[in-house]
Structure formats: C-alpha cells, structure tokens
Amino acid sequence: MTLRSATPILTAIGTIAAGLIFTLSFAPASHAGDDMIVKQSNRSVSATIDELAKVLESKGIRIFGRVDHQANAKGAGLELRPSTVLVFGNPKMGTPLMQENPRIGLDLPMKVLAWEAADGKVYIGYTEPKELEDRYDIDGKDKIFKKMTKALKMFTDKAAGKSE
C-alpha cells in the first residue's frame, strides 16, 4: 500500500478519532462511568463539598480529608477548574468489608468528587457501592452495601441541593 492509497483510510481514522474525542468531551456527566453515580449540583464546588461535610458530620461520620485539586494545580503553576474530593467513612461499616477482602481498603474510606465542568455546571460523583462489592468479590455483606448506597444517595442529594 502506498501513502497515496492509504490517505483515505488515514483521513477516515482521523475523522472517527476526532468525533470520538468530541463526543467524550461533551458527554453528559451521568455517563461519566458505569461504576460512578453522578448528579448535577445546584451549588458551587466549594459549597457542595462544605454542605456534604456538614451533613456527614451531623450523622457522626468522620471526615478524613479534603483534596482541593484546583489549589494543588495552582501550586504547581497549572490551571484547573474547581475540583475537590472529600474523603470520609465509618469504621463500623468499612472494617467488616476490609475483613472480608483487605484490598477494598484501596477504595475505602469513601470519596466524593465535586467538579466544575467546562460549561460551568457543577457535578458531584462517587463510586457506586455495588461496584465495590463486585470489584472486590465480597459476599455476605449485602446489608452494609445497601446501607452505603442509600446513605450516599441521601448525603449527595443534600450536598447538591436536591433535597432541602
């Protein structure tokens, strides 16, 4: 095959790749990943995370840390739209899961990410507990995972201003 005969093929591949990149860049946040629950927030990133922290603390859930990706990027001389992760957990729920499979400790404590998209909308997302159950092949802890699922939905709805 000569370069001349390959040109239409290369052009087609480039067009497909550009279309895929464009589509992924503007894909709705709800399709951010099969294992991630994503919802739009009615608040700014910082207000969303602040409200989440307030809700968690009111339920006696420990906050382990906050990672401000925008501030870290700025410290490295880079720009990034607002993006913050809140790390939190309840050892009474997480410990039995780690006793079953210590590798789940990579995803525990839980993490929730709030970020500002290119269009200025703010989203909040977290890994679906069922995904963790499947990923780490944990059996017999359905009650814990169901409780985590219900709690994360409620907490993030409140943080996003969806249930005042």
PDB file of all heavy atoms in Angstrom, residues 101-126:
ATOM      1  N   ASN A 101     -12.208  -8.655  52.539  1.00  0.00           N
ATOM      2  CA  ASN A 101     -11.207  -8.521  51.478  1.00  0.00           C
ATOM      3  C   ASN A 101     -10.421  -7.230  51.728  1.00  0.00           C
ATOM      4  O   ASN A 101     -10.915  -6.134  51.428  1.00  0.00           O
ATOM      5  CB  ASN A 101     -11.863  -8.490  50.100  1.00  0.00           C
ATOM      6  CG  ASN A 101     -10.840  -8.457  48.977  1.00  0.00           C
ATOM      7  OD1 ASN A 101      -9.659  -8.160  49.190  1.00  0.00           O
ATOM      8  ND2 ASN A 101     -11.283  -8.752  47.767  1.00  0.00           N
ATOM      9  N   PRO A 102      -9.205  -7.339  52.252  1.00  0.00           N
ATOM     10  CA  PRO A 102      -8.405  -6.155  52.590  1.00  0.00           C
ATOM     11  C   PRO A 102      -8.156  -5.215  51.413  1.00  0.00           C
ATOM     12  O   PRO A 102      -7.937  -4.025  51.610  1.00  0.00           O
ATOM     13  CB  PRO A 102      -7.081  -6.728  53.095  1.00  0.00           C
ATOM     14  CG  PRO A 102      -7.374  -8.135  53.477  1.00  0.00           C
ATOM     15  CD  PRO A 102      -8.508  -8.582  52.593  1.00  0.00           C
ATOM     16  N   ARG A 103      -8.229  -5.725  50.181  1.00  0.00           N
ATOM     17  CA  ARG A 103      -7.960  -4.877  49.017  1.00  0.00           C
ATOM     18  C   ARG A 103      -8.981  -3.761  48.841  1.00  0.00           C
ATOM     19  O   ARG A 103      -8.697  -2.747  48.209  1.00  0.00           O
ATOM     20  CB  ARG A 103      -7.889  -5.723  47.740  1.00  0.00           C
ATOM     21  CG  ARG A 103      -6.692  -6.674  47.746  1.00  0.00           C
ATOM     22  CD  ARG A 103      -6.610  -7.533  46.497  1.00  0.00           C
ATOM     23  NE  ARG A 103      -7.857  -8.233  46.243  1.00  0.00           N
ATOM     24  CZ  ARG A 103      -8.449  -8.311  45.036  1.00  0.00           C
ATOM     25  NH1 ARG A 103      -7.909  -7.764  43.990  1.00  0.00           N
ATOM     26  NH2 ARG A 103      -9.584  -8.955  44.894  1.00  0.00           N
ATOM     27  N   ILE A 104     -10.174  -3.903  49.433  1.00  0.00           N
ATOM     28  CA  ILE A 104     -11.173  -2.834  49.317  1.00  0.00           C
ATOM     29  C   ILE A 104     -10.692  -1.570  50.037  1.00  0.00           C
ATOM     30  O   ILE A 104     -11.200  -0.478  49.786  1.00  0.00           O
ATOM     31  CB  ILE A 104     -12.566  -3.277  49.829  1.00  0.00           C
ATOM     32  CG1 ILE A 104     -13.647  -2.304  49.304  1.00  0.00           C
ATOM     33  CG2 ILE A 104     -12.590  -3.415  51.339  1.00  0.00           C
ATOM     34  CD1 ILE A 104     -15.069  -2.767  49.555  1.00  0.00           C
ATOM     35  N   GLY A 105      -9.670  -1.725  50.873  1.00  0.00           N
ATOM     36  CA  GLY A 105      -9.067  -0.572  51.538  1.00  0.00           C
ATOM     37  C   GLY A 105      -8.505   0.445  50.556  1.00  0.00           C
ATOM     38  O   GLY A 105      -8.295   1.604  50.909  1.00  0.00           O
ATOM     39  N   LEU A 106      -8.287   0.029  49.315  1.00  0.00           N
ATOM     40  CA  LEU A 106      -7.852   0.971  48.286  1.00  0.00           C
ATOM     41  C   LEU A 106      -8.964   1.975  47.980  1.00  0.00           C
ATOM     42  O   LEU A 106      -8.698   3.132  47.672  1.00  0.00           O
ATOM     43  CB  LEU A 106      -7.476   0.215  47.004  1.00  0.00           C
ATOM     44  CG  LEU A 106      -6.923   1.047  45.862  1.00  0.00           C
ATOM     45  CD1 LEU A 106      -5.637   1.760  46.280  1.00  0.00           C
ATOM     46  CD2 LEU A 106      -6.670   0.171  44.660  1.00  0.00           C
ATOM     47  N   ASP A 107     -10.217   1.552  48.099  1.00  0.00           N
ATOM     48  CA  ASP A 107     -11.358   2.426  47.810  1.00  0.00           C
ATOM     49  C   ASP A 107     -12.068   2.928  49.056  1.00  0.00           C
ATOM     50  O   ASP A 107     -13.021   3.686  48.963  1.00  0.00           O
ATOM     51  CB  ASP A 107     -12.360   1.686  46.916  1.00  0.00           C
ATOM     52  CG  ASP A 107     -11.864   1.577  45.491  1.00  0.00           C
ATOM     53  OD1 ASP A 107     -11.663   2.634  44.867  1.00  0.00           O
ATOM     54  OD2 ASP A 107     -11.657   0.454  45.000  1.00  0.00           O
ATOM     55  N   LEU A 108     -11.645   2.471  50.206  1.00  0.00           N
ATOM     56  CA  LEU A 108     -12.189   2.956  51.470  1.00  0.00           C
ATOM     57  C   LEU A 108     -11.085   3.708  52.196  1.00  0.00           C
ATOM     58  O   LEU A 108      -9.931   3.300  52.136  1.00  0.00           O
ATOM     59  CB  LEU A 108     -12.687   1.794  52.334  1.00  0.00           C
ATOM     60  CG  LEU A 108     -13.847   0.993  51.780  1.00  0.00           C
ATOM     61  CD1 LEU A 108     -14.199  -0.147  52.722  1.00  0.00           C
ATOM     62  CD2 LEU A 108     -15.068   1.863  51.519  1.00  0.00           C
ATOM     63  N   PRO A 109     -11.379   4.761  52.903  1.00  0.00           N
ATOM     64  CA  PRO A 109     -12.696   5.334  53.102  1.00  0.00           C
ATOM     65  C   PRO A 109     -13.291   5.830  51.786  1.00  0.00           C
ATOM     66  O   PRO A 109     -12.604   5.958  50.775  1.00  0.00           O
ATOM     67  CB  PRO A 109     -12.476   6.469  54.082  1.00  0.00           C
ATOM     68  CG  PRO A 109     -11.016   6.745  54.080  1.00  0.00           C
ATOM     69  CD  PRO A 109     -10.328   5.537  53.550  1.00  0.00           C
ATOM     70  N   MET A 110     -14.587   6.137  51.843  1.00  0.00           N
ATOM     71  CA  MET A 110     -15.310   6.602  50.666  1.00  0.00           C
ATOM     72  C   MET A 110     -14.793   7.975  50.233  1.00  0.00           C
ATOM     73  O   MET A 110     -14.256   8.724  51.040  1.00  0.00           O
ATOM     74  CB  MET A 110     -16.814   6.700  50.949  1.00  0.00           C
ATOM     75  CG  MET A 110     -17.486   5.367  51.214  1.00  0.00           C
ATOM     76  SD  MET A 110     -17.372   4.171  49.859  1.00  0.00           S
ATOM     77  CE  MET A 110     -18.261   5.002  48.556  1.00  0.00           C
ATOM     78  N   LYS A 111     -15.009   8.261  48.944  1.00  0.00           N
ATOM     79  CA  LYS A 111     -14.601   9.541  48.377  1.00  0.00           C
ATOM     80  C   LYS A 111     -15.736  10.075  47.515  1.00  0.00           C
ATOM     81  O   LYS A 111     -16.358   9.313  46.781  1.00  0.00           O
ATOM     82  CB  LYS A 111     -13.347   9.371  47.522  1.00  0.00           C
ATOM     83  CG  LYS A 111     -12.120   8.962  48.305  1.00  0.00           C
ATOM     84  CD  LYS A 111     -11.124   8.264  47.385  1.00  0.00           C
ATOM     85  CE  LYS A 111     -10.271   7.284  48.122  1.00  0.00           C
ATOM     86  NZ  LYS A 111     -10.955   6.107  48.619  1.00  0.00           N
ATOM     87  N   VAL A 112     -15.967  11.366  47.618  1.00  0.00           N
ATOM     88  CA  VAL A 112     -16.924  12.042  46.749  1.00  0.00           C
ATOM     89  C   VAL A 112     -16.193  13.191  46.086  1.00  0.00           C
ATOM     90  O   VAL A 112     -15.473  13.941  46.750  1.00  0.00           O
ATOM     91  CB  VAL A 112     -18.162  12.542  47.537  1.00  0.00           C
ATOM     92  CG1 VAL A 112     -19.023  13.446  46.667  1.00  0.00           C
ATOM     93  CG2 VAL A 112     -18.985  11.368  48.051  1.00  0.00           C
ATOM     94  N   LEU A 113     -16.370  13.310  44.783  1.00  0.00           N
ATOM     95  CA  LEU A 113     -15.738  14.354  43.991  1.00  0.00           C
ATOM     96  C   LEU A 113     -16.791  15.362  43.549  1.00  0.00           C
ATOM     97  O   LEU A 113     -17.857  14.973  43.073  1.00  0.00           O
ATOM     98  CB  LEU A 113     -15.082  13.749  42.747  1.00  0.00           C
ATOM     99  CG  LEU A 113     -14.563  14.717  41.682  1.00  0.00           C
ATOM    100  CD1 LEU A 113     -13.377  15.511  42.201  1.00  0.00           C
ATOM    101  CD2 LEU A 113     -14.186  13.954  40.415  1.00  0.00           C
ATOM    102  N   ALA A 114     -16.500  16.636  43.723  1.00  0.00           N
ATOM    103  CA  ALA A 114     -17.319  17.700  43.135  1.00  0.00           C
ATOM    104  C   ALA A 114     -16.412  18.462  42.178  1.00  0.00           C
ATOM    105  O   ALA A 114     -15.261  18.747  42.500  1.00  0.00           O
ATOM    106  CB  ALA A 114     -17.873  18.630  44.213  1.00  0.00           C
ATOM    107  N   TRP A 115     -16.947  18.769  40.970  1.00  0.00           N
ATOM    108  CA  TRP A 115     -16.130  19.458  39.982  1.00  0.00           C
ATOM    109  C   TRP A 115     -16.994  20.372  39.126  1.00  0.00           C
ATOM    110  O   TRP A 115     -18.197  20.180  39.004  1.00  0.00           O
ATOM    111  CB  TRP A 115     -15.373  18.468  39.109  1.00  0.00           C
ATOM    112  CG  TRP A 115     -16.225  17.709  38.130  1.00  0.00           C
ATOM    113  CD1 TRP A 115     -16.432  18.028  36.812  1.00  0.00           C
ATOM    114  CD2 TRP A 115     -16.980  16.515  38.367  1.00  0.00           C
ATOM    115  NE1 TRP A 115     -17.267  17.100  36.233  1.00  0.00           N
ATOM    116  CE2 TRP A 115     -17.614  16.162  37.162  1.00  0.00           C
ATOM    117  CE3 TRP A 115     -17.174  15.710  39.490  1.00  0.00           C
ATOM    118  CZ2 TRP A 115     -18.430  15.048  37.044  1.00  0.00           C
ATOM    119  CZ3 TRP A 115     -17.999  14.591  39.380  1.00  0.00           C
ATOM    120  CH2 TRP A 115     -18.610  14.265  38.170  1.00  0.00           C
ATOM    121  N   GLU A 116     -16.319  21.362  38.565  1.00  0.00           N
ATOM    122  CA  GLU A 116     -16.972  22.275  37.643  1.00  0.00           C
ATOM    123  C   GLU A 116     -16.604  21.868  36.228  1.00  0.00           C
ATOM    124  O   GLU A 116     -15.423  21.776  35.884  1.00  0.00           O
ATOM    125  CB  GLU A 116     -16.523  23.713  37.902  1.00  0.00           C
ATOM    126  CG  GLU A 116     -17.219  24.727  37.012  1.00  0.00           C
ATOM    127  CD  GLU A 116     -16.725  26.136  37.269  1.00  0.00           C
ATOM    128  OE1 GLU A 116     -16.888  26.613  38.423  1.00  0.00           O
ATOM    129  OE2 GLU A 116     -16.168  26.747  36.331  1.00  0.00           O
ATOM    130  N   ALA A 117     -17.608  21.619  35.405  1.00  0.00           N
ATOM    131  CA  ALA A 117     -17.388  21.227  34.012  1.00  0.00           C
ATOM    132  C   ALA A 117     -17.080  22.457  33.161  1.00  0.00           C
ATOM    133  O   ALA A 117     -17.232  23.601  33.606  1.00  0.00           O
ATOM    134  CB  ALA A 117     -18.628  20.506  33.480  1.00  0.00           C
ATOM    135  N   ALA A 118     -16.678  22.214  31.935  1.00  0.00           N
ATOM    136  CA  ALA A 118     -16.313  23.299  31.015  1.00  0.00           C
ATOM    137  C   ALA A 118     -17.468  24.270  30.790  1.00  0.00           C
ATOM    138  O   ALA A 118     -17.235  25.454  30.545  1.00  0.00           O
ATOM    139  CB  ALA A 118     -15.843  22.716  29.682  1.00  0.00           C
ATOM    140  N   ASP A 119     -18.706  23.785  30.901  1.00  0.00           N
ATOM    141  CA  ASP A 119     -19.862  24.655  30.681  1.00  0.00           C
ATOM    142  C   ASP A 119     -20.275  25.419  31.936  1.00  0.00           C
ATOM    143  O   ASP A 119     -21.284  26.113  31.949  1.00  0.00           O
ATOM    144  CB  ASP A 119     -21.047  23.852  30.151  1.00  0.00           C
ATOM    145  CG  ASP A 119     -21.531  22.777  31.110  1.00  0.00           C
ATOM    146  OD1 ASP A 119     -21.001  22.672  32.242  1.00  0.00           O
ATOM    147  OD2 ASP A 119     -22.455  22.028  30.723  1.00  0.00           O
ATOM    148  N   GLY A 120     -19.493  25.278  33.016  1.00  0.00           N
ATOM    149  CA  GLY A 120     -19.766  25.991  34.257  1.00  0.00           C
ATOM    150  C   GLY A 120     -20.688  25.253  35.212  1.00  0.00           C
ATOM    151  O   GLY A 120     -20.858  25.670  36.356  1.00  0.00           O
ATOM    152  N   LYS A 121     -21.279  24.142  34.764  1.00  0.00           N
ATOM    153  CA  LYS A 121     -22.143  23.362  35.646  1.00  0.00           C
ATOM    154  C   LYS A 121     -21.284  22.588  36.641  1.00  0.00           C
ATOM    155  O   LYS A 121     -20.152  22.204  36.343  1.00  0.00           O
ATOM    156  CB  LYS A 121     -23.007  22.394  34.845  1.00  0.00           C
ATOM    157  CG  LYS A 121     -24.032  23.097  33.974  1.00  0.00           C
ATOM    158  CD  LYS A 121     -24.842  22.110  33.177  1.00  0.00           C
ATOM    159  CE  LYS A 121     -25.825  22.848  32.276  1.00  0.00           C
ATOM    160  NZ  LYS A 121     -26.507  21.927  31.358  1.00  0.00           N
ATOM    161  N   VAL A 122     -21.840  22.378  37.825  1.00  0.00           N
ATOM    162  CA  VAL A 122     -21.124  21.657  38.880  1.00  0.00           C
ATOM    163  C   VAL A 122     -21.759  20.277  39.040  1.00  0.00           C
ATOM    164  O   VAL A 122     -22.990  20.141  39.038  1.00  0.00           O
ATOM    165  CB  VAL A 122     -21.166  22.440  40.209  1.00  0.00           C
ATOM    166  CG1 VAL A 122     -20.575  21.628  41.352  1.00  0.00           C
ATOM    167  CG2 VAL A 122     -20.407  23.760  40.045  1.00  0.00           C
ATOM    168  N   TYR A 123     -20.902  19.277  39.190  1.00  0.00           N
ATOM    169  CA  TYR A 123     -21.349  17.899  39.356  1.00  0.00           C
ATOM    170  C   TYR A 123     -20.736  17.310  40.609  1.00  0.00           C
ATOM    171  O   TYR A 123     -19.678  17.742  41.074  1.00  0.00           O
ATOM    172  CB  TYR A 123     -20.957  17.054  38.137  1.00  0.00           C
ATOM    173  CG  TYR A 123     -21.645  17.511  36.887  1.00  0.00           C
ATOM    174  CD1 TYR A 123     -21.019  18.417  36.031  1.00  0.00           C
ATOM    175  CD2 TYR A 123     -22.921  17.071  36.573  1.00  0.00           C
ATOM    176  CE1 TYR A 123     -21.657  18.861  34.883  1.00  0.00           C
ATOM    177  CE2 TYR A 123     -23.567  17.510  35.430  1.00  0.00           C
ATOM    178  CZ  TYR A 123     -22.929  18.403  34.585  1.00  0.00           C
ATOM    179  OH  TYR A 123     -23.560  18.854  33.455  1.00  0.00           O
ATOM    180  N   ILE A 124     -21.417  16.305  41.135  1.00  0.00           N
ATOM    181  CA  ILE A 124     -20.919  15.570  42.294  1.00  0.00           C
ATOM    182  C   ILE A 124     -21.019  14.089  41.942  1.00  0.00           C
ATOM    183  O   ILE A 124     -22.013  13.648  41.349  1.00  0.00           O
ATOM    184  CB  ILE A 124     -21.724  15.941  43.567  1.00  0.00           C
ATOM    185  CG1 ILE A 124     -21.143  15.262  44.807  1.00  0.00           C
ATOM    186  CG2 ILE A 124     -23.198  15.682  43.403  1.00  0.00           C
ATOM    187  CD1 ILE A 124     -21.731  15.774  46.118  1.00  0.00           C
ATOM    188  N   GLY A 125     -19.973  13.336  42.258  1.00  0.00           N
ATOM    189  CA  GLY A 125     -19.969  11.927  41.889  1.00  0.00           C
ATOM    190  C   GLY A 125     -19.211  11.069  42.881  1.00  0.00           C
ATOM    191  O   GLY A 125     -18.360  11.558  43.621  1.00  0.00           O
ATOM    192  N   TYR A 126     -19.566   9.782  42.861  1.00  0.00           N
ATOM    193  CA  TYR A 126     -18.918   8.816  43.736  1.00  0.00           C
ATOM    194  C   TYR A 126     -19.037   7.425  43.127  1.00  0.00           C
ATOM    195  O   TYR A 126     -19.891   7.175  42.275  1.00  0.00           O
ATOM    196  CB  TYR A 126     -19.538   8.843  45.140  1.00  0.00           C
ATOM    197  CG  TYR A 126     -21.028   8.588  45.163  1.00  0.00           C
ATOM    198  CD1 TYR A 126     -21.530   7.301  45.341  1.00  0.00           C
ATOM    199  CD2 TYR A 126     -21.938   9.629  45.012  1.00  0.00           C
ATOM    200  CE1 TYR A 126     -22.906   7.067  45.361  1.00  0.00           C
ATOM    201  CE2 TYR A 126     -23.303   9.405  45.034  1.00  0.00           C
ATOM    202  CZ  TYR A 126     -23.775   8.115  45.211  1.00  0.00           C
ATOM    203  OH  TYR A 126     -25.137   7.885  45.221  1.00  0.00           O
TER     204      TYR A 126
END
